Amino acid sequence: MALSGKLRKKDYHVWVIVGDGETQEGSIWEAAMAAAKWKLDNLTAIVDRNRLQNDACVVDVMPIEPLADKWRAFGWRVVEIDGHDMEQIVESLERAKTHKGIPTLILAHTVKGKGVSFMENVPEWHGKAPCKKEAECALEEIRRCACES
């Protein structure tokens, strides 16, 4: 999509969200190389860097560090942010649209299940829905956290 936009001289920006576990896949790096080759400055990828995938920690499945350096080596501009800070998120998205010459990667450091005591950093919650009681408890914790902010 980004390459098509460039070739057709269209003024739009393409956004991609990737889990950090997905960066273990060759298709991600093939796309990253192509984006740098074609200087797709109309492309921004956001990596949700929560260090968890499926039912395990990313490092236990296939280590990916140094992740930021890898993206830089593939020719991307890398911006690291706190993925829970809306000011940082908005600022990095806005700046990505104005950066020219190479694609941008936003490495958003997050905590899976943030704000819910029994879900935070627990890999089992990656693909599991809470039961009604768990959902009510989670929503109460999130509301309480929001009120304290």
Side-chain angles (χ1 to χ4, degrees):
M1 290 176 63
L3 181 55
S4 174
K6 279 285 196 186
L7 293 173
R8 296 182 312 143
K9 300 189 183 341
K10 298 292 183 179
D11 185 27
Y12 62 79
H13 202 91
V14 177
W15 308 92
V16 177
I17 300 176
V18 178
D20 51 359
E22 284 179 87
T23 65
Q24 298 161 337
E25 299 176 12
S27 58
I28 296 295
W29 298 110
E30 190 175 342
M33 286 187 291
K37 174 188 174 18
W38 297 106
K39 300 179 181 6
L40 300 181
D41 53 14
N42 62 336
L43 173 64
T44 298
I46 304 158
V47 172
D48 179 11
R49 186 68 176 110
N50 60 35
R51 294 179 163 70
L52 297 177
Q53 68 182 80
N54 295 330
D55 294 327
C57 295
V58 170
V59 70
D60 294 333
V61 175
M62 180 63 63
I64 58 175
E65 291 302 330
L67 191 56
D69 291 341
K70 288 177 182 176
W71 283 91
R72 285 185 192 99
F74 274 73
W76 288 59
R77 171 181 169 260
V78 176
V79 178
E80 295 193 55
I81 65 167
D82 174 347
H84 299 290
D85 183 324
M86 282 307 296
E87 286 184 30
Q88 287 184 37
I89 293 167
V90 171
E91 180 183 338
S92 65
L93 295 173
E94 290 299 323
R95 292 185 78 199
K97 289 190 297 188
T98 64
H99 188 80
K100 298 300 174 199
I102 59 175
T104 296
L105 174 85
I106 299 171
L107 191 56
H109 296 275
T110 63
V111 174
K112 188 179 288 287
K114 185 171 176 66
V116 180
S117 62
F118 60 93
M119 290 182 173
E120 274 195 22
N121 286 316
V122 178
E124 290 77 24
W125 287 102
H126 180 81
K128 176 177 132 179
C131 69
K132 185 175 181 178
K133 184 176 180 178
E134 291 166 331
E136 289 170 357
C137 182
L139 289 170
E140 179 57 34
E141 287 189 29
I142 292 168
R143 284 186 197 103
R144 187 174 35 240
C145 184
C147 289
E148 293 171 1
S149 298

